[in-house]
Amino acid sequence: MTTYLYDGVEFDLTRSFVDVIGVEWEWRGQWNEAGEPLLVSPGLPDSPVPLPDVYRDHGPLIPVSPRPSAAQYRAAVDVDYAKTVAAGYVESPTEFAARITPVTPTPALTAHHLNPSPMEQTGFRRFLNSIAGGTR
């Protein structure tokens, strides 16, 4: 494992790094005169930049996890259906629908959910009586 210590952080140069905006950087075995590793972005392979400059200008560098191999992808996707059924992980469409459909009662409206009648509002009856010329 090739490592480089900078600013108290040990960088494993065998891994790729991503800066804070998502640009990937990798070391291709080059060093500058000061003994600093030169990182390149796959988008600009002919423009190597020293790791301290990338670290300073592009924020902290986040190591990229190793990517799964084709065999690992295949193992994750290829599933023995018979073993899945035997283990009890398969349900009928009806069982699935019952499991994912929330059972909530339909709300029933009661009198306190409704707006009050205009006749019950303060002053409205008085207003009507004043129009009609009546008294309270």
mmCIF file with all atom_site columns, all heavy atoms in Angstrom, residues 56-72:
data_model
loop_
_atom_site.group_PDB
_atom_site.id
_atom_site.type_symbol
_atom_site.label_atom_id
_atom_site.label_alt_id
_atom_site.label_comp_id
_atom_site.label_asym_id
_atom_site.label_entity_id
_atom_site.label_seq_id
_atom_site.pdbx_PDB_ins_code
_atom_site.Cartn_x
_atom_site.Cartn_y
_atom_site.Cartn_z
_atom_site.occupancy
_atom_site.B_iso_or_equiv
_atom_site.pdbx_formal_charge
_atom_site.auth_seq_id
_atom_site.auth_comp_id
_atom_site.auth_asym_id
_atom_site.auth_atom_id
_atom_site.pdbx_PDB_model_num
ATOM 1   N N   . ARG A 1 56 ? -6.208  21.551  -0.994  1.00 0.00 ? 56 ARG A N   1
ATOM 2   C CA  . ARG A 1 56 ? -6.446  22.952  -0.633  1.00 0.00 ? 56 ARG A CA  1
ATOM 3   C C   . ARG A 1 56 ? -7.536  23.584  -1.492  1.00 0.00 ? 56 ARG A C   1
ATOM 4   O O   . ARG A 1 56 ? -8.427  24.266  -0.989  1.00 0.00 ? 56 ARG A O   1
ATOM 5   C CB  . ARG A 1 56 ? -5.146  23.751  -0.768  1.00 0.00 ? 56 ARG A CB  1
ATOM 6   C CG  . ARG A 1 56 ? -5.302  25.230  -0.408  1.00 0.00 ? 56 ARG A CG  1
ATOM 7   C CD  . ARG A 1 56 ? -4.128  26.078  -0.855  1.00 0.00 ? 56 ARG A CD  1
ATOM 8   N NE  . ARG A 1 56 ? -4.098  26.105  -2.313  1.00 0.00 ? 56 ARG A NE  1
ATOM 9   C CZ  . ARG A 1 56 ? -2.995  25.937  -3.045  1.00 0.00 ? 56 ARG A CZ  1
ATOM 10  N NH1 . ARG A 1 56 ? -1.849  25.713  -2.465  1.00 0.00 ? 56 ARG A NH1 1
ATOM 11  N NH2 . ARG A 1 56 ? -3.052  25.991  -4.358  1.00 0.00 ? 56 ARG A NH2 1
ATOM 12  N N   . ASP A 1 57 ? -7.502  23.343  -2.805  1.00 0.00 ? 57 ASP A N   1
ATOM 13  C CA  . ASP A 1 57 ? -8.415  24.029  -3.729  1.00 0.00 ? 57 ASP A CA  1
ATOM 14  C C   . ASP A 1 57 ? -9.785  23.374  -3.869  1.00 0.00 ? 57 ASP A C   1
ATOM 15  O O   . ASP A 1 57 ? -10.750 24.034  -4.235  1.00 0.00 ? 57 ASP A O   1
ATOM 16  C CB  . ASP A 1 57 ? -7.775  24.124  -5.121  1.00 0.00 ? 57 ASP A CB  1
ATOM 17  C CG  . ASP A 1 57 ? -6.510  24.957  -5.120  1.00 0.00 ? 57 ASP A CG  1
ATOM 18  O OD1 . ASP A 1 57 ? -6.317  25.758  -4.169  1.00 0.00 ? 57 ASP A OD1 1
ATOM 19  O OD2 . ASP A 1 57 ? -5.711  24.810  -6.064  1.00 0.00 ? 57 ASP A OD2 1
ATOM 20  N N   . HIS A 1 58 ? -9.862  22.080  -3.613  1.00 0.00 ? 58 HIS A N   1
ATOM 21  C CA  . HIS A 1 58 ? -11.119 21.368  -3.873  1.00 0.00 ? 58 HIS A CA  1
ATOM 22  C C   . HIS A 1 58 ? -11.729 20.759  -2.620  1.00 0.00 ? 58 HIS A C   1
ATOM 23  O O   . HIS A 1 58 ? -12.611 19.909  -2.714  1.00 0.00 ? 58 HIS A O   1
ATOM 24  C CB  . HIS A 1 58 ? -10.892 20.288  -4.934  1.00 0.00 ? 58 HIS A CB  1
ATOM 25  C CG  . HIS A 1 58 ? -10.408 20.847  -6.226  1.00 0.00 ? 58 HIS A CG  1
ATOM 26  N ND1 . HIS A 1 58 ? -11.246 21.495  -7.109  1.00 0.00 ? 58 HIS A ND1 1
ATOM 27  C CD2 . HIS A 1 58 ? -9.174  20.891  -6.776  1.00 0.00 ? 58 HIS A CD2 1
ATOM 28  C CE1 . HIS A 1 58 ? -10.540 21.892  -8.158  1.00 0.00 ? 58 HIS A CE1 1
ATOM 29  N NE2 . HIS A 1 58 ? -9.280  21.542  -7.974  1.00 0.00 ? 58 HIS A NE2 1
ATOM 30  N N   . GLY A 1 59 ? -11.250 21.165  -1.465  1.00 0.00 ? 59 GLY A N   1
ATOM 31  C CA  . GLY A 1 59 ? -11.849 20.693  -0.222  1.00 0.00 ? 59 GLY A CA  1
ATOM 32  C C   . GLY A 1 59 ? -11.304 19.349  0.185   1.00 0.00 ? 59 GLY A C   1
ATOM 33  O O   . GLY A 1 59 ? -10.390 18.821  -0.431  1.00 0.00 ? 59 GLY A O   1
ATOM 34  N N   . PRO A 1 60 ? -11.867 18.767  1.229   1.00 0.00 ? 60 PRO A N   1
ATOM 35  C CA  . PRO A 1 60 ? -11.375 17.463  1.669   1.00 0.00 ? 60 PRO A CA  1
ATOM 36  C C   . PRO A 1 60 ? -11.614 16.404  0.607   1.00 0.00 ? 60 PRO A C   1
ATOM 37  O O   . PRO A 1 60 ? -12.568 16.477  -0.153  1.00 0.00 ? 60 PRO A O   1
ATOM 38  C CB  . PRO A 1 60 ? -12.193 17.173  2.930   1.00 0.00 ? 60 PRO A CB  1
ATOM 39  C CG  . PRO A 1 60 ? -13.358 18.077  2.876   1.00 0.00 ? 60 PRO A CG  1
ATOM 40  C CD  . PRO A 1 60 ? -12.973 19.251  2.042   1.00 0.00 ? 60 PRO A CD  1
ATOM 41  N N   . LEU A 1 61 ? -10.721 15.454  0.550   1.00 0.00 ? 61 LEU A N   1
ATOM 42  C CA  . LEU A 1 61 ? -10.829 14.364  -0.414  1.00 0.00 ? 61 LEU A CA  1
ATOM 43  C C   . LEU A 1 61 ? -11.422 13.141  0.275   1.00 0.00 ? 61 LEU A C   1
ATOM 44  O O   . LEU A 1 61 ? -10.946 12.712  1.322   1.00 0.00 ? 61 LEU A O   1
ATOM 45  C CB  . LEU A 1 61 ? -9.452  14.038  -1.002  1.00 0.00 ? 61 LEU A CB  1
ATOM 46  C CG  . LEU A 1 61 ? -8.802  15.181  -1.766  1.00 0.00 ? 61 LEU A CG  1
ATOM 47  C CD1 . LEU A 1 61 ? -7.395  14.797  -2.201  1.00 0.00 ? 61 LEU A CD1 1
ATOM 48  C CD2 . LEU A 1 61 ? -9.637  15.568  -2.968  1.00 0.00 ? 61 LEU A CD2 1
ATOM 49  N N   . ILE A 1 62 ? -12.451 12.598  -0.314  1.00 0.00 ? 62 ILE A N   1
ATOM 50  C CA  . ILE A 1 62 ? -13.173 11.466  0.247   1.00 0.00 ? 62 ILE A CA  1
ATOM 51  C C   . ILE A 1 62 ? -12.755 10.212  -0.506  1.00 0.00 ? 62 ILE A C   1
ATOM 52  O O   . ILE A 1 62 ? -12.894 10.159  -1.733  1.00 0.00 ? 62 ILE A O   1
ATOM 53  C CB  . ILE A 1 62 ? -14.687 11.690  0.113   1.00 0.00 ? 62 ILE A CB  1
ATOM 54  C CG1 . ILE A 1 62 ? -15.069 13.013  0.774   1.00 0.00 ? 62 ILE A CG1 1
ATOM 55  C CG2 . ILE A 1 62 ? -15.468 10.524  0.707   1.00 0.00 ? 62 ILE A CG2 1
ATOM 56  C CD1 . ILE A 1 62 ? -16.355 13.605  0.264   1.00 0.00 ? 62 ILE A CD1 1
ATOM 57  N N   . PRO A 1 63 ? -12.231 9.195   0.176   1.00 0.00 ? 63 PRO A N   1
ATOM 58  C CA  . PRO A 1 63 ? -11.825 7.978   -0.530  1.00 0.00 ? 63 PRO A CA  1
ATOM 59  C C   . PRO A 1 63 ? -13.037 7.252   -1.115  1.00 0.00 ? 63 PRO A C   1
ATOM 60  O O   . PRO A 1 63 ? -14.086 7.160   -0.489  1.00 0.00 ? 63 PRO A O   1
ATOM 61  C CB  . PRO A 1 63 ? -11.143 7.123   0.521   1.00 0.00 ? 63 PRO A CB  1
ATOM 62  C CG  . PRO A 1 63 ? -11.322 7.806   1.816   1.00 0.00 ? 63 PRO A CG  1
ATOM 63  C CD  . PRO A 1 63 ? -11.948 9.128   1.592   1.00 0.00 ? 63 PRO A CD  1
ATOM 64  N N   . VAL A 1 64 ? -12.872 6.768   -2.336  1.00 0.00 ? 64 VAL A N   1
ATOM 65  C CA  . VAL A 1 64 ? -13.933 6.025   -3.006  1.00 0.00 ? 64 VAL A CA  1
ATOM 66  C C   . VAL A 1 64 ? -13.801 4.559   -2.608  1.00 0.00 ? 64 VAL A C   1
ATOM 67  O O   . VAL A 1 64 ? -12.713 3.996   -2.649  1.00 0.00 ? 64 VAL A O   1
ATOM 68  C CB  . VAL A 1 64 ? -13.820 6.176   -4.542  1.00 0.00 ? 64 VAL A CB  1
ATOM 69  C CG1 . VAL A 1 64 ? -14.848 5.315   -5.256  1.00 0.00 ? 64 VAL A CG1 1
ATOM 70  C CG2 . VAL A 1 64 ? -13.972 7.636   -4.948  1.00 0.00 ? 64 VAL A CG2 1
ATOM 71  N N   . SER A 1 65 ? -14.914 3.960   -2.226  1.00 0.00 ? 65 SER A N   1
ATOM 72  C CA  . SER A 1 65 ? -14.896 2.539   -1.868  1.00 0.00 ? 65 SER A CA  1
ATOM 73  C C   . SER A 1 65 ? -14.584 1.710   -3.101  1.00 0.00 ? 65 SER A C   1
ATOM 74  O O   . SER A 1 65 ? -14.977 2.077   -4.210  1.00 0.00 ? 65 SER A O   1
ATOM 75  C CB  . SER A 1 65 ? -16.243 2.121   -1.306  1.00 0.00 ? 65 SER A CB  1
ATOM 76  O OG  . SER A 1 65 ? -16.508 2.824   -0.128  1.00 0.00 ? 65 SER A OG  1
ATOM 77  N N   . PRO A 1 66 ? -13.909 0.596   -2.918  1.00 0.00 ? 66 PRO A N   1
ATOM 78  C CA  . PRO A 1 66 ? -13.624 -0.255  -4.071  1.00 0.00 ? 66 PRO A CA  1
ATOM 79  C C   . PRO A 1 66 ? -14.924 -0.701  -4.746  1.00 0.00 ? 66 PRO A C   1
ATOM 80  O O   . PRO A 1 66 ? -15.900 -1.032  -4.085  1.00 0.00 ? 66 PRO A O   1
ATOM 81  C CB  . PRO A 1 66 ? -12.884 -1.453  -3.469  1.00 0.00 ? 66 PRO A CB  1
ATOM 82  C CG  . PRO A 1 66 ? -12.447 -1.024  -2.115  1.00 0.00 ? 66 PRO A CG  1
ATOM 83  C CD  . PRO A 1 66 ? -13.369 0.057   -1.686  1.00 0.00 ? 66 PRO A CD  1
ATOM 84  N N   . ARG A 1 67 ? -14.924 -0.667  -6.057  1.00 0.00 ? 67 ARG A N   1
ATOM 85  C CA  . ARG A 1 67 ? -16.117 -1.044  -6.806  1.00 0.00 ? 67 ARG A CA  1
ATOM 86  C C   . ARG A 1 67 ? -16.255 -2.562  -6.851  1.00 0.00 ? 67 ARG A C   1
ATOM 87  O O   . ARG A 1 67 ? -15.261 -3.277  -6.964  1.00 0.00 ? 67 ARG A O   1
ATOM 88  C CB  . ARG A 1 67 ? -16.038 -0.473  -8.209  1.00 0.00 ? 67 ARG A CB  1
ATOM 89  C CG  . ARG A 1 67 ? -16.164 1.043   -8.192  1.00 0.00 ? 67 ARG A CG  1
ATOM 90  C CD  . ARG A 1 67 ? -16.005 1.628   -9.590  1.00 0.00 ? 67 ARG A CD  1
ATOM 91  N NE  . ARG A 1 67 ? -16.257 3.043   -9.593  1.00 0.00 ? 67 ARG A NE  1
ATOM 92  C CZ  . ARG A 1 67 ? -15.363 3.977   -9.279  1.00 0.00 ? 67 ARG A CZ  1
ATOM 93  N NH1 . ARG A 1 67 ? -14.161 3.616   -8.907  1.00 0.00 ? 67 ARG A NH1 1
ATOM 94  N NH2 . ARG A 1 67 ? -15.675 5.246   -9.309  1.00 0.00 ? 67 ARG A NH2 1
ATOM 95  N N   . PRO A 1 68 ? -17.494 -3.062  -6.759  1.00 0.00 ? 68 PRO A N   1
ATOM 96  C CA  . PRO A 1 68 ? -17.675 -4.507  -6.825  1.00 0.00 ? 68 PRO A CA  1
ATOM 97  C C   . PRO A 1 68 ? -17.285 -5.053  -8.198  1.00 0.00 ? 68 PRO A C   1
ATOM 98  O O   . PRO A 1 68 ? -17.441 -4.379  -9.213  1.00 0.00 ? 68 PRO A O   1
ATOM 99  C CB  . PRO A 1 68 ? -19.176 -4.706  -6.592  1.00 0.00 ? 68 PRO A CB  1
ATOM 100 C CG  . PRO A 1 68 ? -19.699 -3.400  -6.130  1.00 0.00 ? 68 PRO A CG  1
ATOM 101 C CD  . PRO A 1 68 ? -18.729 -2.360  -6.531  1.00 0.00 ? 68 PRO A CD  1
ATOM 102 N N   . SER A 1 69 ? -16.799 -6.277  -8.202  1.00 0.00 ? 69 SER A N   1
ATOM 103 C CA  . SER A 1 69 ? -16.430 -6.924  -9.464  1.00 0.00 ? 69 SER A CA  1
ATOM 104 C C   . SER A 1 69 ? -17.691 -7.419  -10.165 1.00 0.00 ? 69 SER A C   1
ATOM 105 O O   . SER A 1 69 ? -18.784 -7.455  -9.580  1.00 0.00 ? 69 SER A O   1
ATOM 106 C CB  . SER A 1 69 ? -15.503 -8.101  -9.196  1.00 0.00 ? 69 SER A CB  1
ATOM 107 O OG  . SER A 1 69 ? -16.215 -9.108  -8.492  1.00 0.00 ? 69 SER A OG  1
ATOM 108 N N   . ALA A 1 70 ? -17.548 -7.826  -11.412 1.00 0.00 ? 70 ALA A N   1
ATOM 109 C CA  . ALA A 1 70 ? -18.680 -8.365  -12.169 1.00 0.00 ? 70 ALA A CA  1
ATOM 110 C C   . ALA A 1 70 ? -19.235 -9.604  -11.469 1.00 0.00 ? 70 ALA A C   1
ATOM 111 O O   . ALA A 1 70 ? -20.448 -9.808  -11.413 1.00 0.00 ? 70 ALA A O   1
ATOM 112 C CB  . ALA A 1 70 ? -18.255 -8.688  -13.590 1.00 0.00 ? 70 ALA A CB  1
ATOM 113 N N   . ALA A 1 71 ? -18.356 -10.424 -10.907 1.00 0.00 ? 71 ALA A N   1
ATOM 114 C CA  . ALA A 1 71 ? -18.812 -11.627 -10.199 1.00 0.00 ? 71 ALA A CA  1
ATOM 115 C C   . ALA A 1 71 ? -19.619 -11.248 -8.951  1.00 0.00 ? 71 ALA A C   1
ATOM 116 O O   . ALA A 1 71 ? -20.620 -11.897 -8.640  1.00 0.00 ? 71 ALA A O   1
ATOM 117 C CB  . ALA A 1 71 ? -17.615 -12.487 -9.813  1.00 0.00 ? 71 ALA A CB  1
ATOM 118 N N   . GLN A 1 72 ? -19.205 -10.201 -8.271  1.00 0.00 ? 72 GLN A N   1
ATOM 119 C CA  . GLN A 1 72 ? -19.952 -9.762  -7.088  1.00 0.00 ? 72 GLN A CA  1
ATOM 120 C C   . GLN A 1 72 ? -21.333 -9.217  -7.482  1.00 0.00 ? 72 GLN A C   1
ATOM 121 O O   . GLN A 1 72 ? -22.315 -9.470  -6.794  1.00 0.00 ? 72 GLN A O   1
ATOM 122 C CB  . GLN A 1 72 ? -19.160 -8.708  -6.316  1.00 0.00 ? 72 GLN A CB  1
ATOM 123 C CG  . GLN A 1 72 ? -17.942 -9.282  -5.617  1.00 0.00 ? 72 GLN A CG  1
ATOM 124 C CD  . GLN A 1 72 ? -17.044 -8.199  -5.065  1.00 0.00 ? 72 GLN A CD  1
ATOM 125 O OE1 . GLN A 1 72 ? -16.845 -7.153  -5.672  1.00 0.00 ? 72 GLN A OE1 1
ATOM 126 N NE2 . GLN A 1 72 ? -16.483 -8.458  -3.879  1.00 0.00 ? 72 GLN A NE2 1
#
